[in-house]
Amino acid sequence: MVDFAITYTTEDECLNKKERKNMIEKPIVFYNKGQQLNGILHAPTGCNAPCPAVVFFHGFTGTKVEPHRIFVKTARALASIGFYALRFDFRGSGDSEGDFSEMTIGGEISDAIKSIDVLTAMPGVDTERIGILGLSMGGCVAAFVSGQDVRVKSTVMWAPLSDDPPDRKQEILEMSKYTPTPEEIAQSNANVVGKSFYEELPKLSPSATIQQFTGPLLVIHGSGDETVPVSHGKRYYELMRERDALTELEIIDAADHTFNTVGWEQAVIAKSVEWFQRTLA
């Protein structure tokens, strides 16, 4: 039995009248490793048969909303055409329990798999039509989940982080051994990354794990991304393109890491929604 709860709101507290005809949105709470994760469930209305569903994985220091509400807009676009969509905060991020300093990629993979457990336990969700969408480090998480969880039938990755170059592994190991002084911590970014994060990194290979995935894969990356260079997205595509499965790479000309113009945003959302329609609907 999956432990989760949906909090109901009145109809007037939901969306505008036009949007309410096609979907409803409800806060949702679920648990992993004894900690509470908070999210939003977008549910289509008027579905007479089980519907496909998509789970969203946010990026490093991100939340279930993401910049310029791109996760919200994408989830609503999916719900309006008959998809369930679940956005949630990983433990230690956003509204969820936990401290960011305890965050690891392995912990986020565990949260991601739990979110699929929650979604597939919901009445109305077609367990044979589950998709995932990850941004940045959430794209890295999506790579692991795609390769590990056979319930995932279609994957979209936006500006996904891939493996660090081999020549950085020693650097990462050295970082894991160093304990910053209180003075250094006080001057650092408020999202303090713990030693466990660095200790785990050299052991992880999302590009190896995703090669176990047999479903459709779409990678979207901006050519102007300075946070996670477009070479990361290209790496995933090159590794997966020879499979006997639909695999595409969409490079958005000049776009930055989180697609921060109206045109870039619209292109990314449209392509992603069309992809899930094609591969899950």
Side-chain angles (χ1 to χ4, degrees):
M1 181 176 178
V2 179
D3 186 10
F4 68 92
I6 299 175
T7 304
Y8 289 87
T9 59
T10 65
E11 186 179 31
D12 288 340
E13 292 174 305
C14 292
L15 309 174
N16 63 48
K17 291 181 179 179
K18 182 178 180 181
E19 290 173 316
R20 279 205 304 267
K21 293 179 181 178
N22 298 319
M23 74 187 92
I24 53 176
E25 295 179 356
K26 307 180 190 302
I28 182 170
V29 170
F30 60 99
Y31 297 85
N32 190 30
K33 309 294 184 183
Q35 292 181 309
Q36 179 176 301
L37 290 87
N38 295 314
I40 299 292
L41 176 69
H42 303 252
T45 58
C47 279
N48 298 318
C51 299
V54 176
V55 189
F56 291 66
F57 307 146
H58 66 74
F60 182 78
T61 74
T63 71
K64 60 184 175 293
V65 175
E66 286 298 15
H68 47 98
R69 305 175 76 221
I70 192 169
F71 269 17
V72 180
K73 296 168 186 175
T74 307
R76 287 177 174 172
L78 286 166
S80 72
I81 59 169
F83 281 72
Y84 283 83
L86 173 60
R87 302 179 289 111
F88 72 97
D89 295 322
F90 289 120
R91 284 174 294 149
S93 293
D95 295 318
S96 292
E97 279 193 301
D99 192 276
F100 188 81
S101 64
E102 300 170 347
M103 176 274 303
T104 63
I105 293 176
E108 293 196 348
I109 294 167
S110 175
D111 291 345
I113 291 173
K114 178 61 70 172
S115 73
I116 297 174
D117 293 342
V118 167
L119 196 58
T120 55
M122 292 178 182
V125 170
D126 187 341
T127 59
E128 296 299 315
R129 293 189 289 166
I130 301 296
I132 59 176
L133 187 158
L135 167 64
S136 191
M137 199 166 86
C140 175
V141 171
F144 280 108
V145 175
S146 297
Q148 293 177 5
D149 195 325
V150 296
R151 294 174 297 180
V152 177
K153 300 300 192 258
S154 182
T155 297
V156 173
M157 301 193 298
W158 295 349
L161 179 70
S162 183
D163 306 50
D164 276 278
D167 60 0
R168 288 201 60 208
K169 290 200 172 183
Q170 189 58 41
E171 173 193 340
I172 292 167
L173 282 169
E174 290 303 316
M175 291 172 71
S176 72
K177 297 175 185 176
Y178 178 69
T179 302
T181 66
E183 291 76 19
E184 288 172 326
I185 290 175
Q187 296 300 318
S188 66
N189 187 290
N191 287 308
V192 177
V193 179
K195 289 182 67 176
S196 296
F197 179 85
Y198 293 112
E199 289 172 342
E200 178 191 62
L201 277 182
K203 306 170 188 175
L204 300 176
S205 179
S207 62
T209 304
I210 198 174
Q211 291 182 66
Q212 306 304 311
F213 181 50
T214 59
L217 172 68
L218 170 64
V219 180
I220 302 179
H221 218 122
S223 66
D225 190 340
E226 296 181 356
T227 304
V228 177
V230 70
S231 58
H232 286 243
K234 288 180 177 178
R235 181 176 187 183
Y236 283 118
Y237 175 69
E238 292 299 329
L239 285 168
M240 304 294 281
R241 64 185 297 189
E242 301 299 329
R243 302 174 307 139
D244 187 22
L246 186 63
T247 307
E248 292 185 10
L249 171 66
E250 183 84 7
I251 297 178
I252 308 297
D253 185 45
D256 61 14
H257 187 53
T258 52
F259 313 103
N260 281 287
T261 72
V262 172
W264 295 339
E265 177 191 82
Q266 289 178 345
V268 170
I269 294 175
K271 180 66 178 180
S272 301
V273 170
E274 185 274 333
W275 180 267
F276 285 127
Q277 250 187 321
R278 188 172 14 150
T279 58
L280 294 178

